[in-house]
């Protein structure tokens, strides 16, 4: 699609109709199954359309919740689309709010290493279904079986602060730029969020 004449116009049209298309085929075949089939049929140049399709498929689970099967499918797609061993973190963004926090923590460096838009989109998506909890650091109900999903804004600052950027292979400048971007976004990472994060880290 991306390589045909007037591809930009066609791509825009397809994106506009994507939610209807995704809902139709997702309900018929199952989100996970159709996601893997579409991913297998797309090229690297068609990645933007694939990502739009995955994003549209995400709410099709029971009660608009993402199934573990669909999360696993996104992991599988990320693996299959790896370029030279480098995994594209964008393939996890459609389901990132449904991934357990304990599993998101080790993936945070990958989002920091991505471009600015991907990093900030990932942070926004992690917290989009947490409501007022975005201001706090949540304690796991059961440490033996972690169940918390997504990551609040407070938790994002805490785990960014705790990140060993050298061990993660991140340049110090990129790591500091990521933190700066968060602190500069005062609408999201406001004083209450920052104070909550500092309070947790000092405790």
């Amino acid at each position: 699609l991306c390589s045909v004449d007037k591809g930009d116009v066609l791509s825009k049209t397809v994106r506009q109709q994507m939610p209807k298309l995704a809902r139709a085929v997702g309900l018929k075949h199952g989100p996970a199954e159709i996601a893997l089939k579409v991913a297998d049929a797309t090229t690297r140049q068609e990645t933007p359309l694939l990502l739009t399709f995955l994003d549209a498929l995400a709410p099709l689970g029971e009660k608009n919740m993402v199934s573990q099967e669909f999360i696993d499918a996104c992991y599988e797609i990320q693996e299959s689309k790896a370029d030279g061993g480098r995994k594209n973190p964008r393939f996890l963004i459609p389901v990132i709010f449904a991934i357990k926090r304990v599993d998101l923590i080790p993936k945070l460096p990958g989002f920091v290493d991505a471009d600015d838009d991907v990093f900030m989109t990932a942070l926004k998506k992690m917290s989009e279904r947490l409501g007022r909890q975005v201001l706090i650091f949540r304690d796991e109900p059961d440490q033996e079986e972690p169940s918390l999903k997504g990551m609040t804004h407070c938790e994002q600052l805490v785990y960014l602060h705790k990140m060993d950027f050298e061990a993660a292979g991140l340049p110090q400048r990129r790591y500091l730029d990521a933190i700066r971007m968060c602190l500069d976004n005062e609408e999201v990472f406001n004083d209450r969020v920052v104070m909550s994060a500092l309070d947790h880290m000092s405790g």
Side-chain angles (χ1 to χ4, degrees), residues 56-76:
L57 279 175
L60 292 182
E62 185 178 354
K63 297 181 180 179
N64 283 337
M65 295 302 293
V66 176
S67 68
Q68 186 59 48
E69 185 181 14
F70 186 65
I71 294 174
D72 292 341
C74 289
Y75 277 125
E76 187 173 336

Side-chain angles (χ1 to χ4, degrees), residues 49-95:
L49 286 178
L50 173 58
L51 290 167
T52 301
F53 186 67
L54 293 177
D55 201 46
L57 279 175
L60 292 182
E62 185 178 354
K63 297 181 180 179
N64 283 337
M65 295 302 293
V66 176
S67 68
Q68 186 59 48
E69 185 181 14
F70 186 65
I71 294 174
D72 292 341
C74 289
Y75 277 125
E76 187 173 336
I77 292 169
Q78 185 191 39
E79 290 283 350
S80 68
K81 298 294 185 180
D83 185 12
R86 186 180 180 86
K87 299 177 183 178
N88 188 339
R90 291 185 297 170
F91 289 114
L92 299 183
I93 291 180
V95 296

Side-chain angles (χ1 to χ4, degrees), residues 125-167:
K125 195 83 170 180
M126 285 180 197
S127 62
E128 72 173 11
R129 297 197 181 189
L130 296 177
R132 294 180 179 179
Q133 288 184 315
V134 295
L135 301 175
I136 66 173
F137 188 97
R138 300 166 297 165
D139 293 322
E140 286 283 1
D142 186 347
Q143 293 291 341
E144 297 298 320
E145 295 185 13
S147 60
L148 294 177
K149 295 181 179 180
M151 193 177 287
T152 70
H153 298 322
C154 174
E155 292 162 1
Q156 291 164 7
L157 288 181
V158 170
Y159 289 119
L160 281 171
H161 175 77
K162 290 183 176 181
M163 184 184 298
D164 186 340
F165 66 88
E166 290 184 340

Side-chain angles (χ1 to χ4, degrees), residues 32-58:
E33 179 181 349
I34 197 64
L36 291 171
K37 288 182 177 180
V38 171
D40 188 54
T42 55
T43 65
R44 181 178 179 181
Q45 288 72 28
E46 294 164 341
T47 294
L49 286 178
L50 173 58
L51 290 167
T52 301
F53 186 67
L54 293 177
D55 201 46
L57 279 175

